[in-house]
Amino acid sequence: MELGSKTSKGKLVASGVIPFAFVILLIVYLFGSSGDLLDVGVSLPEVTIEKIDFVAGEIQATVRNTGHIPVEVVMADVNDRIQPAAIEPDRFLNRFETALVRIPFEWNESEPYTIGITTEDGTRFEKEIKAATQALKPSGELVGYFAIIGTYVGIIPVMIGLLWLPFIKRISKAKYNFFLAITVGLLLFLGIDAIEEATEVSAKFLAGSFNGILLIATVVILSFLGLYYSGNKLVKRADASPYAKPVALGLMIAIGIGLHNFGEGLAIGAAVGLGEVAFSTFLLVGFALHNTSEGFAIAAPMAKGKPMIGKLVGMGLIAGSPAIFGAWIGGFAYSPFTSIVFLSIGSGAIFQVAVAILGWIRKEDDKFLASASVVAGIAAGMLIMYITSILV
Amino acid sequence: MIIILVIAVMVSISYFIFPSISDAELEQKIFVTHSGAIVKTTGEILDPIYSVQTVDFDPDKFLREFNYGRVSMLEDGRTLREFTIIAEDDKTMEISPGIFYNVWTFNGTVPGPTIRATEGDIVRIKFINNGNKQHTMHFHGIHVAEMDGVFELVGPGGGQFTYEFEAGPVGVHPYHCHVMPLEEHIAHGLYGVFIVDPKEKRSPADEMVMVLNGFDTDFDTENNFYAANSIPFYYEHHPIQINTNQLIRVYVVNMVEFDPINNFHLHGNLYYYYPTGTNTVPSTYTDMITLSQTERGIMEFQYTYPGKYLFHAHKVEFSEKGWVGIFLVKENPANSLQGVEYGTWE
């Protein structure tokens, strides 16, 4: 019996591995000499200028080979005028390899610049910057500045939103379900919003070879599944005590929103760092209004449990403070790829939270989506978010 | 399984997040560049002065090289000058350090050889087209219609045609391929200079040819590079050496495509300009002339003071893309007004 199971196990492994072996053989064959037969068409070089930094007396461009063939960077230009430059570590770029092109140039504040890179076959690639601004360097002052922005955008609005807790506590069950449904609406909106933002970053900054849209889809779904799985475990463990469950759900929401705010912080930090927006008070107000609803989303399930000020504040911090970290990273070490990944993680997390709350509503309300309060709540949530989003 | 997956994802993400953080310990090297800017780097320098160039084409040689052909006397006493010109269109030339471009050539170079004859000579050119496309030679000047190189297309893969005409009028003229699409054939490099000397010699001088040209390496109908004699910035880091108090004569031909005009500005001096070289009286005394496509002329000047003097397009975009050079004026050793004999008559 044992012997039999062993051989069948061996067969199982073999049957799983054999196709892989053939795939490897195929690859070896295609890359081997016989592959020449299939070389039709011309592979064109492609270089993407991912990032441009303006520092004292110098313009720095981070370039990446995003094509299918190795390239050699042989020239740099500013506004289509040839400029001497340095390239580090060296001018030969394999697929996906990056280099830093440093162009000594006395640039002028807030003027637009187009930076160009020419490869050995004479093809030129360029990127335009609308207004040159000194690259942000981590300094105490800036760290503080981003922390303040993060606080205004993340922590404070969430905390204000949490103040709805006593109100939610006092209302009837039907009304309570309405408010829970509002949070679902809010979250759905936020999730879609994050995807939209990620798509925008992808279109603007990410080379086509990274398949931005597919990257977003993959990360959103992975994030959703990962959090759904771990969230379920958390809630199950909390099942033991009747008071722990609302806390668990609230925590889940807080974590989801925190991930979302991290992505939002990244976007804000990046926008400031890249000189794309002057971060105005107006914008700050918009973000703050928008994010107040996030606190509400945490407060809604928590209202069912015992009042726990400490836990509530903790959740506010979990949900809000990632905006600060996001702003730091976005401002000082921007990478479009990271931005898209985190925006997508945030989006997946938010959807996961929405689904969890829907599950909770279902338990509370038999009619579920057929109930007027639930439908009205989701609709109201989305509309609130849409209207506040116009302000951002 | 999940942990492995997560780690794999993390590793692959961090690969993209932190693009090749290089070792900060590397030694910094200092480069003084063609623009005077100083670059300190642990990496490589991107500048024409420092980049290696395999010289397919030598602008120094081209500058003062005149081809007088195989000379013989005709029965009627006139001089016959025979040339063989071979067209090709499959060569790749390093037209700027590190940048390779498919040039179409007469006798293997862009520009093609400078053909020189005296007014009234018979010029006979055996033209062989070894390219993959049809090509011709079209000379600016006076000749019969059949020798105009427009309708008599010369087939690829060894097609032949013999152009024969009497050299004239006196001056400096371009020759180029005249096959459609014409702009493409010219922009790829099928052009050269044809000088017709007057029967009574011009005064002795240090003579040179400058073809103002450009290359559109990314095929967007805008030139990426400009130069005098093909190689951008060449005469800036290989200054043309001349002497004080010596007559300098430059045959300038503008072959730039795509841009409607080009120009020539000389520093620290002015020159007498003879448009098309057809007149013995200069049209102007200036330091700045403007040239349209195939517009050309002769410039004559001499320097009194030694030193380095720039010459460049005052359409500064062109000079910042390579059309800039330097005359290195040295004290005339003999300090005499004696010039270099022009033309080694055979």
Side-chain angles (χ1 to χ4, degrees):
Chain A
M1 185 66 206
E2 211 172 40
L3 200 80
S5 96
K6 252 189 187 166
T7 45
S8 73
K9 212 170 193 180
K11 272 185 188 166
L12 182 70
V13 170
S15 61
V17 167
I18 284 167
F20 275 116
F22 275 101
V23 168
I24 289 163
L25 266 177
L26 178 71
I27 292 169
V28 169
Y29 172 78
L30 287 179
F31 275 119
S33 55
S34 46
D36 291 347
L37 293 170
L38 299 166
D39 268 344
V40 284
V42 188
S43 279
L44 294 174
E46 190 190 309
V47 172
T48 304
I49 302 173
E50 292 194 334
K51 193 171 160 240
I52 294 169
D53 287 319
F54 294 87
V55 299
E58 189 171 311
I59 300 175
Q60 301 183 336
T62 306
V63 300
R64 189 191 291 276
N65 175 4
T66 47
H68 293 281
I69 50 170
V71 298
E72 187 186 342
V73 173
V74 293
M75 204 174 78
D77 66 73
V78 175
N79 293 338
D80 199 21
R81 307 290 184 266
I82 298 169
Q83 295 293 336
I87 184 162
E88 297 167 357
D90 63 72
R91 66 183 196 278
F92 298 97
L93 297 181
N94 284 318
R95 277 194 83 180
F96 292 116
E97 205 182 331
T98 65
L100 183 71
V101 176
R102 298 174 50 202
I103 310 167
F105 196 89
E106 292 301 331
W107 50 274
N108 302 320
E109 184 81 26
S110 73
E111 277 182 22
Y113 286 97
T114 302
I115 307 303
I117 296 295
T118 303
T119 54
E120 80 281 10
D121 67 338
T123 314
R124 180 173 173 272
F125 303 91
E126 63 171 38
K127 185 180 175 73
E128 196 195 338
I129 295 294
K130 287 202 183 95
T133 44
Q134 186 87 27
L136 300 178
K137 278 221 179 95
S139 68
E141 198 187 332
L142 258 174
V143 167
Y145 173 69
F146 277 130
I148 290 168
I149 290 183
T151 309
Y152 275 121
V153 168
I155 297 175
I156 293 177
V158 172
M159 292 295 187
I160 292 173
L162 285 172
L163 293 177
W164 265 300
L165 186 86
F167 166 76
I168 301 167
K169 244 177 153 40
R170 287 196 182 87
I171 56 180
S172 71
K173 194 176 168 183
K175 279 183 191 139
Y176 174 68
N177 279 343
F178 169 74
F179 283 109
L180 267 188
I182 283 187
T183 64
V184 172
L186 304 179
L187 294 169
L188 287 177
F189 188 93
L190 283 179
I192 295 164
D193 187 34
I195 288 179
E196 197 230 335
E197 207 162 314
T199 314
E200 224 168 84
V201 174
S202 156
K204 238 165 136 184
F205 298 110
L206 203 66
S209 60
F210 282 116
N211 300 330
I213 301 294
L214 294 176
L215 170 71
I216 294 165
T218 307
V219 176
V220 167
I221 290 169
L222 284 184
S223 150
F224 177 86
L225 291 175
L227 286 163
Y228 190 84
Y229 180 80
S230 45
N232 256 10
K233 283 212 152 164
L234 187 75
V235 175
K236 249 187 203 142
R237 204 180 291 169
D239 264 351
S241 113
Y243 294 113
K245 196 166 179 190
V247 176
L249 194 61
L251 183 62
M252 250 172 73
I253 296 175
I255 291 171
I257 288 172
L259 285 170
H260 169 80
N261 278 342
F262 183 79
E264 207 155 78
L266 264 183
I268 293 168
V272 176
L274 298 177
E276 293 229 318
V277 288
F279 208 78
S280 64
T281 316
F282 183 72
L283 212 56
L284 214 63
V285 169
F287 263 114
L289 270 179
H290 195 66
N291 289 3
T292 307
S293 50
E294 292 172 355
F296 181 82
I298 302 170
M302 291 286 283
K304 278 280 158 144
K306 264 196 273 180
M308 292 165 282
I309 305 272
K311 282 206 170 101
L312 214 55
V313 170
M315 282 180 199
L317 287 176
I318 290 172
S321 57
I324 299 174
F325 299 108
W328 284 339
I329 294 176
F332 301 133
Y334 180 75
S335 132
F337 192 87
T338 337
S339 236
I340 291 168
V341 167
F342 279 109
L343 283 168
S344 307
I345 289 177
S347 169
I350 290 272
F351 286 133
Q352 186 276 141
V353 173
V355 166
I357 297 175
L358 275 174
W360 216 41
I361 295 174
R362 184 178 222 161
K363 268 184 208 158
E364 305 265 317
D365 190 331
D366 300 333
K367 282 193 278 178
F368 190 41
L369 283 180
S371 123
S373 59
V374 174
V375 170
I378 294 177
M382 294 211 67
L383 282 170
I384 291 169
M385 289 311 271
Y386 175 70
I387 290 160
T388 53
S389 78
I390 293 171
L391 297 174
V392 176
Chain B
M1 186 65 191
I2 289 172
I3 293 169
I4 293 169
L5 208 76
V6 167
I7 289 170
V9 169
M10 292 298 240
V11 168
S12 55
I13 288 173
S14 61
Y15 172 75
F16 290 113
I17 298 175
F18 307 108
S20 58
I21 294 167
S22 54
D23 194 348
E25 305 287 308
L26 285 170
E27 196 193 333
Q28 293 242 336
K29 280 173 281 180
I30 297 170
F31 299 90
V32 181
T33 65
H34 81 265
S35 69
I38 289 168
V39 175
K40 267 193 213 170
T41 181
T42 57
E44 293 182 88
I45 183 86
L46 300 178
D47 190 58
I49 296 181
Y50 290 98
S51 310
V52 181
Q53 182 167 5
T54 50
V55 181
D56 289 315
F57 172 71
D58 184 352
D60 283 330
K61 185 163 163 260
F62 179 83
L63 186 73
R64 292 184 173 106
E65 189 175 66
F66 302 98
N67 299 276
Y68 297 95
R70 296 178 297 279
V71 182
S72 57
M73 195 72 84
L74 290 171
E75 281 173 14
D76 60 3
R78 288 195 295 179
T79 304
L80 172 69
R81 295 182 184 275
E82 291 178 284
F83 302 85
T84 304
I85 302 280
I86 299 170
E88 288 171 295
D89 52 29
D90 59 351
K91 282 187 82 164
T92 299
M93 181 171 126
E94 192 174 6
I95 53 115
S96 181
I99 291 169
F100 295 84
Y101 179 72
N102 168 220
V103 284
W104 300 359
T105 57
F106 288 130
N107 283 4
T109 58
V110 181
T114 299
I115 295 171
R116 193 160 184 176
T118 302
E119 188 185 19
D121 289 353
I122 298 299
V123 176
R124 185 182 292 160
I125 291 163
K126 186 179 177 190
F127 175 61
I128 304 167
N129 178 8
N130 281 344
N132 299 305
K133 293 167 183 289
Q134 293 177 319
H135 297 299
T136 63
M137 286 183 85
H138 161 73
F139 284 79
H140 287 212
I142 300 168
H143 44 247
V144 296
E146 291 73 29
M147 293 298 147
D148 201 38
V150 174
F151 303 112
E152 300 75 17
L153 301 175
V154 184
Q160 294 197 10
F161 191 90
T162 301
Y163 297 98
E164 190 173 319
F165 50 83
E166 191 183 303
V170 165
V172 51
H173 311 292
Y175 67 85
H176 58 86
C177 176
H178 210 298
V179 171
M180 294 293 163
L182 183 55
E183 193 178 49
E184 181 185 58
H185 283 250
I186 294 176
H188 270 85
L190 289 171
Y191 47 79
V193 176
F194 173 45
I195 296 172
V196 180
D197 290 311
K199 281 180 179 147
E200 60 291 350
K201 290 183 175 187
R202 292 184 194 274
S203 52
D206 182 0
E207 296 198 315
M208 48 193 82
V209 176
M210 287 191 198
V211 177
L212 311 184
N213 54 356
F215 292 103
D216 171 23
T217 58
D218 54 2
F219 308 103
D220 61 353
T221 68
E222 275 180 40
N223 287 308
N224 297 56
F225 299 94
Y226 296 87
N229 297 340
S230 292
I231 310 294
F233 301 109
Y234 185 85
Y235 297 122
E236 195 181 21
H237 47 99
H238 300 87
I240 299 170
Q241 298 198 15
I242 56 175
N243 291 325
T244 55
N245 303 319
Q246 178 170 36
L247 182 64
I248 309 298
R249 181 176 298 127
V250 185
Y251 296 90
V252 185
V253 181
N254 177 37
M255 290 308 297
V256 160
E257 275 302 326
F258 310 117
D259 299 285
I261 60 154
N262 200 342
N263 49 34
F264 194 122
H265 169 54
L266 184 67
H267 278 227
N269 213 339
L270 280 79
Y271 48 81
Y272 291 99
Y273 184 63
Y274 304 80
T276 319
T278 43
N279 245 315
T280 50
V281 181
S283 68
T284 180
Y285 180 58
T286 181
D287 61 6
M288 177 67 196
I289 51 159
T290 298
L291 299 164
S292 168
Q293 267 81 24
T294 72
E295 216 177 329
R296 69 281 185 184
I298 298 171
M299 300 181 343
E300 287 182 345
F301 54 91
Q302 43 188 312
Y303 274 95
T304 310
Y305 309 109
K308 283 203 274 189
Y309 297 94
L310 274 182
F311 60 97
H312 62 93
H314 225 303
K315 162 76 179 136
V316 182
E317 176 194 356
F318 298 180
S319 62
E320 291 191 31
K321 288 177 175 172
W323 168 188
V324 55
I326 290 173
F327 281 116
L328 178 58
V329 184
K330 293 183 158 180
E331 199 71 61
N332 199 324
N335 206 19
S336 72
L337 297 175
Q338 214 180 332
V340 175
E341 274 296 320
Y342 91 103
T344 40
W345 297 101
E346 292 175 54

